[in-house]
Amino acid sequence: MRRQVLLFISVLSLSSVLGQISYSIPEEMVKGSLVGNIAQDLGLDAKRLSSRKARIFTGDSAEYIELNKQRGVILIKEKIDRESLCGQTTPCALHFQITLENPIELFPITLEITDVNDNTPTFKKDERTFEISETAVIGSKFMLEKAVDSDIGLNGLQSYTLKPSDNFILKLHNQFDGSKKVEMILQKPLDREKQEHISLILTAVDGGEPQLSGTMQIHVTVLDANDNAPIFTKPVYKASITENYLKGTVITKVSASDADKGSNGEVTYAIGDSMHSVSMLFHITDEGELILNGPIDYEKAKHYQIDIEATDQGGLSDSSKVIIDIIDINDNSPTINMITKSVSVREDSPINTVVAVMSINDPDSETNGQVHCIISENIPFAIKSTSGHFYSLVTEDELDRERASEYNITVTCSDEGVPSLSSSVTLTLQILDVNDNAPVFEKTSYEAYIVENNTPGFSIFTMKARDDDWNQNARVSYLLEDLSVNGVPVSSYVSVSADSGVIHAVRSFDYEQIKDFQFRVKAQDGGSPPLSSNVTVKILIQDQNDNAPQVLYPVQSGGSLVAEMVPRSADVGYLVTKVVAVDVDSGQNAWLSYKLQKATDRALFEVGLQNGEIRTIRQVTDKDVVKQRLTVIVEDNGQPSRSATVNVNVAVADSFPEVLSEFTDFTHDKEYNDNLTFFLVLALAVVSFLFITCLVVIISVKIYRWRQSRLYHSSLPVIPYYPPRYSDTLGTGTLPHVYNYEVCRTTDSRKSDCKFGRAGSQNILIMDPSSTGTMQRIQSEKSILDEPDSPLEQKPPNNDWRFNQGQRPGPSGATGGPEVAMGTGPWPQPPTEAEQLQALMAAANVSEATGTLGPGTMGLSTRYSPQFTLQHVPDYRQNVYIPGSTATLTSNPQQQQQQAAAQQATQQATQQALPPPQQVSAQPEPPKAAQTPASKKKSTKKEKK
């Protein structure tokens, strides 16, 4: 314990000179022992030491120490044996480095290993035998083997003792290398007869505490008579060799002479027994030649000292020393050890940023060990020597990742030997990106075209912006700047895809409304902060032939007449009119051409292809009809072409009255060809509807008649229903048929004239809407019916109410009215007077209930004036049920008188309103209106029909 305490007390104090930290510890410290508090010595706490990734770099040497980052101390990792580490070299020290990162720092550490007396002096052999002649003179020297103590200083070998010391004493000689030469000196003559064998003990003692010693047994055999010992010619021999000498090369030759003769004068040479390691590299022949026996290395030993012994046959010997100096050759390349390095560096790092620290060693000497390092050319890095054999790789210029994103830095170190040797190491360094580049568009401005009437969402074009940065810093997003076009936000016109840069149309464009517009798009990267750039985009709308020509003249109006008049004296090329049309499209889509599509007389007119002028192509004659209708088609030059048609009415006449007769026809002469299909379908639907309606009506009538016939055969006193057409003939007792018709008819399928016709003495009022309210009296219905082309045909009366002469009610049964066809009504026998009264009452009720009917939905209405005389009707005093009426006949005389008075008043009113039947046919025909040229032409057309 006392010894260990002394060893720990001997630890040297911490010193830091020029940034170097030194520690001193004794050898043989146990594992985990404390070397020093490096955190305190560096001025850092343990947390900072750990965060900066502190570590120990020891190079190629074994790792005897370790760094405890949590405690910030250096500990013993492996037990250190100074003798195996340094041998006899003093001082013995370990050199290593402490490296820190962020920033990179390097601190050299020197650890001195002090010696501990842990080795005893030892002899190579435990015994030594000498044969000494009894004639050996006093003072004769006998070379003894030196003890070996691996310790140094006081702990090393200090002294020798020889016991017993009766005949021999020890003599020590200091040598060149600091060791001691041990000689046994004869101080008292030997007497073989007294003592033939002498045993001695040689003890070697060191100076440690406690002292350690080693012994060797010496056996001396006393011989007879050899009184001269060998003597070397030189006490020291010197030689020098290069480290590349081959095995078997003679280094030098030693020589020793012996004055004795015979076998006592024969000398043999040997290398001292204590130099075992040297004897492995060298050996000496009997002739004294020192020969190289193995490879030598200057880096391991720079010189050798060899003890040579010369011994004669009598056992006398002498010693000499051979000093061999090793000459260095350049046989070692520089060794590059990367202490610490960075795998990446930001491109905005300042100049002289350390990216790597390396240690470079060359064990050769002088110029062979002088090293200089270079790096690859044309890179922004440099290598600098910091201290001793340490070098730093630093940035020499500004970095740009866009120019080079990675560097393979090759460091080449060469010595100055001949030939020069070199070694190299390559460091791959990534340049980290910094957002220092804004996106750049491929063009300074963009111009794109889009055809109008596009679909919303149509992709117009794609723009691209390039960012030289990397990863997120190079991720470009496209944004539409918030601008307005014609007071409308540009976002309502176009949109831009944020990722792809595709410009889409938001709406459908119309060239006639907007022909072009421009906006700005911003490209922005994803860096922090983001960088951006702008570009102007101009969109040009291309016209499409989506508008048909529009005719400005002549104006097409359905309510008024537009007609051009051509005199019959017009010559060839007479300008009738000019069709003026425009097309809102542009370019060739607006180039118009005029063509005559159809005409009443195609040989009379032509249309200018480009100017739309309508001219005559021949002389107008009297045979040309007054009314000429031209259809002109106006086409544009688009693909596909669009067109418009215009109808031009031309009147060939010399005066306005002649044109006026055709005026009405012009206004109503419309074209139905374009809608022919529609009207055919509509007509088919109407006819089908009417057919189905007629079937329903017929079936209903049949059912009604069947029920009526059943009703007449019942026991009730039912009077059949008389229709309003059933009337009296002014008190004659007959029932002539007088029908009053109001007929609204159309005399021309393309006109809407409304004409009214009445039978008998009633006039027909013809209303022509073009006559502006003028009313004309025309011929009666008889004259109208006489016309062969008259569209009005008198409808025959219902056969159910027609009677022959034998069936007519009245006193004579043979007079009153024209002959009519035999009916098939519900009365198979002539009616009695009671039946006539029932018919009268039914007619009166119907007349009161319905009154005078107005015009029907089909334009036809009939007025009925039933007239009966009561002079032949018997007095019925019973209730009569009249079908279809709420009126009832009672036996009340007062009520019958009121009814009789009403019937008499009705008869008088009818006699005053209607003339006698014989006067109807005798009524003069109303004068016809004067015929105009138009009416003449109408009559002519009717005759043609």
Side-chain angles (χ1 to χ4, degrees):
M1 288 295 296
R2 180 173 175 270
R3 183 185 178 203
Q4 285 185 341
V5 170
L6 290 175
L7 287 175
F8 277 98
I9 293 174
S10 66
V11 176
L12 295 179
S13 62
L14 177 66
S15 64
S16 178
V17 180
L18 295 179
Q20 183 172 354
I21 301 173
S22 299
Y23 297 94
S24 180
I25 62 171
E27 64 172 332
E28 301 297 331
M29 292 183 69
V30 296
K31 181 178 179 181
S33 299
L34 175 67
V35 176
N37 193 330
I38 189 64
Q40 180 179 351
D41 297 337
L42 293 178
L44 302 173
D45 55 17
K47 292 183 178 179
R48 289 283 305 278
L49 201 66
S50 177
S51 63
R52 293 185 63 182
K53 300 179 180 180
R55 67 185 183 92
I56 292 178
F57 175 77
T58 60
D60 294 334
S61 61
E63 294 184 2
Y64 292 99
I65 60 174
E66 64 180 357
L67 176 64
N68 190 319
K69 297 180 184 179
Q70 287 73 21
R71 297 169 54 191
V73 296
I74 299 176
L75 304 176
I76 297 296
K77 186 177 181 181
E78 295 289 339
K79 184 183 289 187
I80 301 175
D81 186 7
R82 192 203 65 80
E83 286 75 23
S84 63
L85 180 64
C86 299
Q88 296 296 314
T89 303
T90 183
C92 181
L94 290 176
H95 300 280
F96 57 94
Q97 293 80 33
I98 298 293
T99 62
L100 301 177
E101 295 182 4
N102 297 322
I104 295 176
E105 290 183 306
L106 181 70
F107 298 93
I109 307 295
T110 300
L111 179 62
E112 183 179 0
I113 311 300
T114 59
D115 185 49
V116 176
N117 191 21
D118 59 341
N119 293 282
T120 61
T122 58
F123 293 91
K124 184 178 181 181
K125 295 181 179 180
D126 296 332
E127 295 180 354
R128 178 73 183 274
T129 301
F130 288 94
E131 293 179 351
I132 302 174
S133 176
E134 63 180 351
T135 59
V137 297
I138 296 173
S140 296
K141 302 177 181 179
F142 301 95
M143 192 72 179
L144 299 179
E145 177 184 355
K146 293 184 294 184
V148 176
D149 192 344
S150 299
D151 297 326
I152 61 172
L154 292 177
N155 296 326
L157 183 64
Q158 296 296 323
S159 62
Y160 293 88
T161 58
L162 183 63
K163 293 181 179 180
S165 59
D166 296 335
N167 298 97
F168 299 92
I169 62 173
L170 291 177
K171 188 175 183 179
L172 302 178
H173 300 279
N174 294 326
Q175 290 187 322
F176 178 79
D177 58 348
S179 63
K180 293 182 180 182
K181 181 180 180 181
V182 183
E183 292 179 341
M184 186 176 61
I185 306 299
L186 182 64
Q187 66 175 352
K188 182 181 178 179
L190 298 176
D191 188 358
R192 186 187 62 82
E193 288 70 17
K194 290 183 179 181
Q195 190 176 7
E196 186 177 358
H197 298 284
I198 301 173
S199 295
L200 304 173
I201 295 178
L202 179 64
T203 303
V205 181
D206 60 18
E209 187 64 29
Q211 282 187 335
L212 300 178
S213 62
T215 60
M216 182 179 67
Q217 188 77 32
I218 299 175
H219 300 282
V220 178
T221 300
V222 180
L223 299 177
D224 189 33
N226 183 17
D227 53 355
N228 293 296
I231 299 173
F232 279 98
T233 57
K234 295 180 181 181
V236 177
Y237 293 88
K238 292 185 178 182
S240 61
I241 60 174
T242 60
E243 59 179 332
N244 61 348
Y245 265 28
L246 299 176
K247 182 179 180 180
T249 302
V250 177
I251 300 173
T252 187
K253 185 177 181 179
V254 298
S255 176
S257 61
D258 192 332
D260 293 331
K261 291 184 179 179
S263 60
N264 293 328
E266 293 180 2
V267 180
T268 59
Y269 302 94
I271 297 176
D273 293 336
S274 62
M275 307 186 70
H276 175 73
S277 60
V278 174
S279 63
M280 299 294 294
L281 298 175
F282 306 96
H283 78 278
I284 192 167
T285 63
D286 292 338
E287 289 78 18
E289 293 180 346
L290 188 62
I291 298 174
L292 182 64
N293 197 35
I296 57 176
D297 189 356
Y298 173 82
E299 288 70 40
K300 293 182 178 180
K302 296 176 176 55
H303 59 267
Y304 291 94
Q305 294 183 10
I306 305 173
D307 294 331
I308 304 297
E309 294 181 2
T311 305
D312 60 15
Q313 295 296 325
L316 301 177
S317 63
D318 193 9
S319 64
S320 179
K321 185 176 290 293
V322 177
I323 299 175
I324 301 174
D325 294 326
I326 308 301
I327 300 174
D328 181 46
I329 63 172
N330 192 24
D331 60 343
N332 291 282
S333 300
T335 301
I336 303 175
N337 295 316
M338 193 67 64
I339 298 176
T340 182
K341 64 179 181 179
S342 299
V343 296
S344 61
V345 63
R346 288 169 57 92
E347 63 175 328
D348 60 347
S349 298
I351 298 176
N352 292 326
T353 299
V354 178
V355 297
V357 176
M358 59 194 74
S359 172
I360 301 172
N361 296 309
D362 193 329
D364 294 327
S365 64
E366 298 180 355
T367 58
N368 294 333
Q370 294 180 3
V371 179
H372 66 277
C373 298
I374 60 174
I375 61 174
S376 307
E377 296 181 355
N378 300 323
I379 60 174
F381 298 94
I383 188 168
K384 296 181 180 181
S385 176
T386 55
S387 61
H389 53 275
F390 293 99
Y391 290 83
S392 297
L393 185 64
V394 298
T395 58
E396 188 181 35
D397 200 355
E398 293 182 354
L399 302 177
D400 188 0
R401 192 208 66 83
E402 290 68 43
R403 191 168 51 197
S405 61
E406 181 181 277
Y407 289 97
N408 292 320
I409 306 171
T410 300
V411 179
T412 303
C413 296
S414 304
D415 57 26
E416 296 183 2
V418 179
S420 177
L421 299 179
S422 64
S423 59
S424 61
V425 64
T426 300
L427 170 66
T428 300
L429 186 65
Q430 300 286 341
I431 308 301
L432 299 181
D433 184 51
V434 175
N435 191 26
D436 56 350
N437 291 279
V440 178
F441 285 95
E442 295 177 347
K443 298 180 180 179
T444 56
S445 63
Y446 289 89
E447 189 173 278
Y449 297 86
I450 182 174
V451 180
E452 65 170 334
N453 300 321
N454 58 285
T455 57
F458 177 77
S459 176
I460 302 176
F461 77 103
T462 303
M463 59 172 53
K464 287 292 182 183
R466 177 179 52 84
D467 196 317
D468 293 332
D469 293 324
W470 182 76
N471 205 359
Q472 186 68 20
N473 295 331
R475 185 175 181 179
V476 180
S477 298
Y478 302 90
L479 305 173
L480 195 64
E481 289 196 355
D482 190 11
L483 301 176
S484 61
V485 177
N486 298 330
V488 179
V490 71
S491 58
S492 64
Y493 284 88
V494 293
S495 65
V496 60
S497 177
D499 297 329
S500 61
V502 179
I503 303 296
H504 295 276
V506 175
R507 63 168 62 176
S508 178
F509 295 107
D510 189 356
Y511 176 81
E512 287 70 41
Q513 294 181 0
I514 181 170
K515 294 178 173 55
D516 61 74
F517 63 94
Q518 65 181 15
F519 54 91
R520 294 177 68 83
V521 175
K522 179 171 71 174
Q524 179 175 289
D525 59 27
S528 179
L531 301 178
S532 62
S533 61
N534 299 328
V535 69
T536 301
V537 181
K538 186 175 183 180
I539 303 297
L540 301 174
I541 313 299
Q542 290 183 331
D543 183 47
Q544 193 178 40
N545 191 25
D546 59 340
N547 292 281
Q550 298 178 2
V551 178
L552 301 181
Y553 184 83
V555 179
Q556 300 295 295
S557 175
S560 62
L561 172 64
V562 177
E564 304 293 338
M565 190 169 68
V566 178
R568 295 188 180 275
S569 60
D571 295 330
V572 177
Y574 177 81
L575 178 61
V576 179
T577 185
K578 181 176 182 180
V579 177
V580 180
V582 295
D583 195 324
V584 295
D585 294 324
S586 65
Q588 67 177 6
N589 294 331
W591 298 349
L592 302 181
S593 59
Y594 303 85
K595 298 178 182 178
L596 186 60
Q597 187 180 35
K598 63 174 76 172
T600 306
D601 188 354
R602 299 186 67 91
L604 182 58
F605 301 100
E606 69 175 359
V607 179
L609 181 63
Q610 303 298 332
N611 54 21
E613 293 179 350
I614 300 177
R615 296 179 179 272
T616 59
I617 56 178
R618 63 175 176 80
Q619 184 71 38
V620 181
T621 63
D622 294 337
K623 296 181 180 180
D624 294 326
V625 297
V626 175
K627 176 184 176 181
Q628 296 284 340
R629 185 180 182 87
L630 309 179
T631 301
V632 178
I633 184 170
V634 184
E635 295 180 340
D636 56 26
N637 198 34
Q639 292 296 331
S641 176
R642 291 179 175 269
S643 62
T645 57
V646 57
N647 296 323
V648 181
N649 296 318
V650 180
V652 180
D654 292 326
S655 62
F656 181 77
E658 188 179 356
V659 177
L660 189 59
S661 64
E662 298 294 327
F663 185 77
T664 302
D665 292 337
F666 279 136
T667 59
H668 301 288
D669 192 8
K670 298 180 180 178
E671 279 297 331
Y672 292 94
N673 293 338
D674 295 338
N675 299 324
L676 181 58
T677 304
F678 171 76
F679 285 117
L680 288 175
V681 174
L682 182 61
L684 180 60
V686 171
V687 170
S688 301
F689 174 77
L690 293 177
F691 174 76
I692 296 173
T693 304
C694 291
L695 288 179
V696 174
V697 170
I698 292 172
I699 294 172
S700 300
V701 170
K702 292 295 185 181
I703 295 174
Y704 176 77
R705 289 179 178 175
W706 176 77
R707 293 184 64 185
Q708 287 294 94
S709 62
R710 295 291 300 272
L711 184 62
Y712 290 144
H713 294 287
S714 64
S715 60
L716 294 175
V718 178
I719 300 176
Y721 173 73
Y722 282 78
R725 294 188 185 95
Y726 188 77
S727 62
D728 193 13
T729 58
L730 300 178
T732 60
T734 62
L735 295 175
H737 300 278
V738 181
Y739 298 94
N740 297 331
Y741 297 100
E742 290 181 9
V743 182
C744 181
R745 60 191 180 87
T746 302
T747 59
D748 193 345
S749 61
R750 290 173 294 174
K751 297 180 181 179
S752 61
D753 297 345
C754 187
K755 298 182 179 181
F756 301 89
R758 292 186 180 180
S761 62
Q762 302 297 322
N763 294 330
I764 296 177
L765 177 62
I766 300 176
M767 193 71 172
D768 193 341
S770 62
S771 62
T772 65
T774 303
M775 301 179 62
Q776 299 177 354
R777 294 283 183 173
I778 62 173
Q779 60 185 357
S780 63
E781 182 181 0
K782 182 177 184 300
S783 62
I784 294 175
L785 296 176
D786 292 338
E787 292 183 6
D789 58 346
S790 176
L792 179 60
E793 295 181 1
Q794 184 175 0
K795 184 177 179 181
N798 195 335
N799 293 332
D800 297 340
W801 303 99
R802 291 186 179 181
F803 305 92
N804 56 23
Q805 292 181 0
Q807 291 176 331
R808 291 176 183 171
S812 61
T815 62
E819 182 74 15
V820 295
M822 180 70 67
T824 59
W827 292 349
Q829 299 297 330
T832 63
E833 292 181 354
E835 292 172 345
Q836 292 180 12
L837 178 59
Q838 292 176 1
L840 175 62
M841 297 304 295
N845 288 331
V846 173
S847 178
E848 291 175 0
T850 60
T852 304
L853 296 177
T857 57
M858 301 299 294
L860 177 62
S861 63
T862 308
R863 294 178 180 175
Y864 305 97
S865 300
Q867 300 173 7
F868 293 88
T869 59
L870 304 177
Q871 56 184 342
H872 302 290
V873 180
D875 187 9
Y876 283 85
R877 301 287 184 174
Q878 59 183 9
N879 293 331
V880 179
Y881 169 73
I882 301 175
S885 173
T886 59
T888 313
L889 295 180
T890 64
S891 59
N892 189 351
Q894 188 177 1
Q895 184 177 359
Q896 292 180 1
Q897 292 177 2
Q898 292 176 358
Q899 292 178 359
Q903 293 296 337
Q904 186 176 2
T906 303
Q907 178 182 358
Q908 293 176 0
T910 306
Q911 290 176 357
Q912 293 175 3
L914 294 177
Q918 62 271 19
Q919 295 178 1
V920 174
S921 61
Q923 183 178 358
E925 183 177 347
K928 295 182 180 179
Q931 292 185 352
T932 61
S935 63
K936 288 180 180 181
K937 193 169 186 65
K938 286 183 179 180
S939 62
T940 304
K941 290 183 179 180
K942 292 178 180 179
E943 291 174 359
K944 290 180 180 180
K945 291 181 181 179

